Amino acid sequence: MGPRIERPTTTRFRDSKVSKSRCHKDKEDTTESHREYYRIKQQRYRERQRECEEVLENATRQLKNEIGQLKRLRDQLTFQVPRSLTVWIVATEYLRIIRRGIREGTNLDFLHAAMAPGVLIDTGSGVDALVRNWILFTQWFPDINIQLKQLKQVSEHSLIAFTTTSFTTSTAAMKGAFPHLFQAREANHCAQIAARLRDQHLTLQGSVRFDWDEENKRVIRLHHQVDMVSALVHILGNLEDVATLFNGAQMTPECVVRDNLGSVAFSCDTE
């Protein structure tokens, strides 16, 4: 008889199959663990990166604020009113300061030094009111550009500066200066006026009068005047529409911000 060959039993085969299954499962568990580990690691890395970005942004913002404060301090330390200050010097410097409007960060030391505390302006008084009006106007018309054309003395203590002023009547500008146009129904006459005026670039002739206190070397009265009506008649076609435009506006036909903003109760829907 030949040698006896033992056949694998069913139990041994089953054990081998279970062992392979466990091995495969262990590999899957290991792979999944690695994936979870790297996922958590990447998440922590992104969180640290975001934290670093926030720290840098805060530091940059703080540095910008400190730079602005240092610049203002430098300007205050170096600014000196000329001993021989005249209305001619004040007029020239004033128009240089407001040439592109007044924005955040504009140095206003000269205005406070050259204007009387209660200086009379078009619709109010005081340097703060003057600055507030210019800031509003600049927000409405950010592309404003004022060019000095001529200085003319009209009396011993008065001077007139002749100017050319230009700006664009964008939708945002009209919502600030002529808000009543946008409170009307779409087909309303005011809405039609707004459509004709939208994105027009105006070039206007005007003047600024300076009344001077020779004893205290300060301006006691400022009067701005710009011929906005002529340009608007050309665009809108008639004086009636120009009157409707300013009936409820936050600025006057002389291109001056009103002192009593928001007090006008005109409504285009009543037409």
Side-chain angles (χ1 to χ4, degrees), residues 200-242:
Q200 294 286 342
H201 188 74
L202 305 182
T203 300
L204 315 171
Q205 303 306 312
S207 64
V208 184
R209 180 183 174 115
F210 300 81
D211 289 340
W212 182 248
D213 179 356
E214 180 63 29
E215 181 179 354
N216 295 303
K217 302 291 185 182
R218 289 189 172 187
V219 173
I220 56 176
R221 183 174 181 269
L222 268 178
H223 179 63
H224 303 79
Q225 188 170 2
V226 175
D227 181 15
M228 197 173 180
V229 173
S230 297
L232 292 175
V233 168
H234 179 73
I235 294 171
L236 300 179
N238 58 79
L239 277 172
E240 289 75 13
D241 285 352
V242 174

Side-chain angles (χ1 to χ4, degrees), residues 13-195:
F13 177 77
R14 187 165 53 248
D15 290 344
S16 175
K17 188 175 181 180
V18 169
S19 177
K20 289 181 180 180
S21 176
R22 286 177 179 174
C23 182
H24 181 69
K25 187 175 185 304
D26 289 342
K27 288 182 179 179
E28 287 183 346
D29 290 343
T30 302
T31 302
E32 184 63 28
S33 297
H34 286 167
R35 287 176 181 171
E36 181 67 14
Y37 169 77
Y38 286 116
R39 187 186 67 79
I40 294 174
K41 188 175 181 180
Q42 288 177 352
Q43 183 178 357
R44 289 175 179 173
Y45 172 77
R46 286 193 293 267
E47 289 176 354
R48 287 195 300 269
Q49 196 172 31
R50 280 195 296 269
E51 290 174 357
C52 289
E53 289 175 355
E54 290 177 1
V55 170
L56 286 173
E57 288 177 0
N58 292 333
T60 302
R61 189 160 43 246
Q62 184 176 353
L63 282 173
K64 286 182 178 179
N65 291 335
E66 291 177 356
I67 289 171
Q69 292 173 1
L70 289 172
K71 284 182 177 179
R72 287 190 291 272
L73 180 60
R74 179 203 62 190
D75 293 338
Q76 292 173 1
L77 293 174
T78 58
F79 176 78
Q80 292 181 347
V81 178
R83 295 179 181 178
S84 57
L85 193 65
T86 67
V87 67
W88 295 83
I89 294 174
V90 172
T92 304
E93 182 63 12
Y94 174 75
L95 288 164
R96 185 195 67 79
I97 292 172
I98 68 167
R99 186 175 70 87
R100 299 307 302 267
I102 291 182
R103 308 166 194 273
E104 183 179 354
T106 300
N107 187 350
L108 304 174
D109 292 337
F110 184 87
L111 294 186
H112 287 282
M115 306 284 170
V119 59
L120 297 177
I121 58 175
D122 311 281
T123 58
S125 63
V127 178
D128 290 342
L130 174 67
V131 171
R132 182 209 62 153
N133 289 352
W134 272 118
I135 289 175
L136 274 175
F137 196 92
T138 308
Q139 289 174 351
W140 296 341
F141 306 101
D143 66 335
I144 183 175
N145 188 8
I146 302 173
Q147 296 292 333
L148 172 61
K149 296 300 181 183
Q150 181 185 2
L151 290 174
K152 182 178 180 180
Q153 189 164 5
V154 292
S155 70
E156 184 179 359
H157 301 302
S158 296
L159 185 73
I160 292 182
F162 295 95
T163 61
T164 298
T165 301
S166 62
F167 53 82
T168 303
T169 54
S170 64
T171 299
M174 289 193 294
K175 285 183 178 180
F178 310 106
H180 61 295
L181 298 183
F182 297 87
Q183 297 168 0
R185 294 184 297 271
E186 185 175 350
N188 190 276
H189 186 55
C190 279
Q192 296 172 2
I193 292 175

